[in-house]
């Protein structure tokens, strides 16, 4: 397997709190074809890591580097990182009144690929994925996420991932607030996306989303650093015993 993501000694502070580091020398390597999971107690830096990779202006890198498929993406703007092949789903997906789901997907696909998709084949692709994700067909003409349930918003995130087909998909608590059926559908979408040339980084508090996925590595993140890495059994251990042995 060849290396896709390499994070070295990543140190991050919040824009509004320059006195406190959130990430404190974090190291992480993800190879193509792998599914990695990051777990950790609240406030440990999980979402900060996701947002830092995607160059959120809320976080400032003070040291370290982020390399994607051999290219240094440290400090690049978010749109350039997306064009390099990084996708991120959000804990709380936004609503965009006045922009239909269909137009959003077409616009983002063109922005990422640099070419306008064929309208008929693109429509067929979207409809096929929506059917697989048990999304109502009429949602494609509705305003983006407006009036969608929490589960439908999360499915919409997976739909975007499938359409954009990134190199690296970062899923930040995509399973949060979902019922069992919706979690199965999200897991199905991840399995549809996964191949030997891409990778998935899942940030979660629960093991439910992992039950139907092949997970290569689980990382425990505490106080801004990955302090333990194991296989899928590590997630089950955390589910049973919590983080008490890892918190000083």
């Amino acid at each position: 397997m060849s290396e896709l993501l390499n994070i070295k000694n990543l140190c991050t502070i919040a824009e509004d709190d320059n006195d406190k580091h959130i990430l404190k020398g974090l190291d992480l390597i993800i190879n193509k074809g792998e599914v990695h999971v990051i777990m950790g107690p609240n406030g440990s830096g999980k979402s900060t890591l996701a947002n830092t990779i995607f160059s959120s202006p809320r976080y400032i890198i003070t040291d370290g580097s982020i390399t994607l498929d051999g290219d240094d993406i440290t400090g690049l703007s978010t749109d350039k990182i997306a064009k390099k092949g990084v996708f991120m789903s959000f804990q709380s997906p936004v609503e965009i009144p006045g922009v239909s789901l269909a137009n959003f997907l077409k616009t983002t696909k063109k922005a990422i690929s640099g070419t306008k998709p064929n309208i008929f084949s693109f429509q067929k692709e979207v409809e096929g994925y929506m059917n697989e994700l048990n999304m109502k067909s009429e949602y494609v003409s509705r305003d983006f996420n407006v009036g969608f349930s929490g589960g439908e918003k999360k499915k919409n995130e997976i739909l975007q991932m499938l359409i954009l087909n990134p190199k690296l998909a970062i899923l930040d608590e995509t399973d949060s607030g979902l019922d069992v059926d919706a979690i199965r559908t999200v897991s199905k979408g991840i399995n549809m996306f996964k191949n030997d040339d891409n990778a998935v980084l899942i940030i979660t508090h629960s093991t439910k989303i992992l039950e139907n996925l092949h997970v290569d590595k689980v990382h425990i993140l505490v106080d801004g650093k990955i302090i333990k890495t194991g296989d899928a059994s590590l997630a089950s251990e955390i589910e049973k015993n919590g983080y008490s042995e890892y918190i000083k």
Side-chain angles (χ1 to χ4, degrees), residues 73-239:
I73 64 170
T74 315
L76 288 182
S77 61
T78 299
D79 62 317
K80 290 180 180 177
I81 291 172
K83 289 177 181 178
K84 290 282 188 181
V86 180
F87 170 87
M88 180 177 165
S89 72
F90 297 94
Q91 292 184 35
S92 302
V94 298
E95 299 181 0
I96 310 178
V99 177
S100 70
L101 174 56
N103 283 333
F104 180 91
L105 293 173
K106 283 187 289 187
T107 301
T108 52
K109 182 70 172 181
K110 180 181 177 182
I112 296 298
S113 67
T115 58
K116 186 177 181 180
N118 177 278
I119 187 170
F120 297 108
S121 60
F122 186 73
Q123 182 179 353
K124 186 176 181 180
E125 181 183 20
V126 171
E127 290 174 349
Y129 284 141
M130 290 184 73
N131 183 58
E132 291 284 356
L133 296 173
N134 296 318
M135 294 181 70
K136 297 177 182 179
S137 58
E138 60 263 29
Y139 279 26
V140 75
S141 59
R142 289 173 55 175
D143 287 359
F144 187 84
N145 279 336
V146 176
F148 288 28
S149 68
E152 293 295 339
K153 288 180 179 180
K154 297 300 181 73
K155 290 179 185 179
N156 187 15
E157 297 279 277
I158 300 301
L159 173 64
Q160 294 167 58
M161 177 186 72
L162 291 168
I163 292 295
L164 297 177
N165 192 28
K167 294 178 181 179
L168 174 66
I170 304 171
L171 308 180
D172 188 7
E173 297 195 30
T174 301
D175 54 333
S176 176
L178 300 186
D179 61 27
V180 173
D181 290 335
I183 288 175
R184 287 200 188 102
T185 300
V186 167
S187 296
K188 178 182 179 182
I190 295 171
N191 283 320
M192 289 167 60
F193 164 73
K194 205 46 221 61
N195 62 48
D196 291 339
D197 295 317
N198 61 28
V200 180
L201 177 60
I202 299 171
I203 296 170
T204 184
H205 281 288
S206 171
T207 60
K208 294 296 183 184
I209 194 173
L210 310 180
E211 292 177 356
N212 297 305
L213 298 174
H214 172 76
V215 174
D216 295 283
K217 291 184 180 180
V218 175
H219 309 278
I220 305 303
L221 179 60
V222 175
D223 194 26
K225 285 187 176 183
I226 290 174
I227 62 170
K228 185 172 183 178
T229 295
D231 58 20
S233 65
L234 181 56
S236 299
E237 176 193 315
I238 294 298
E239 183 83 1

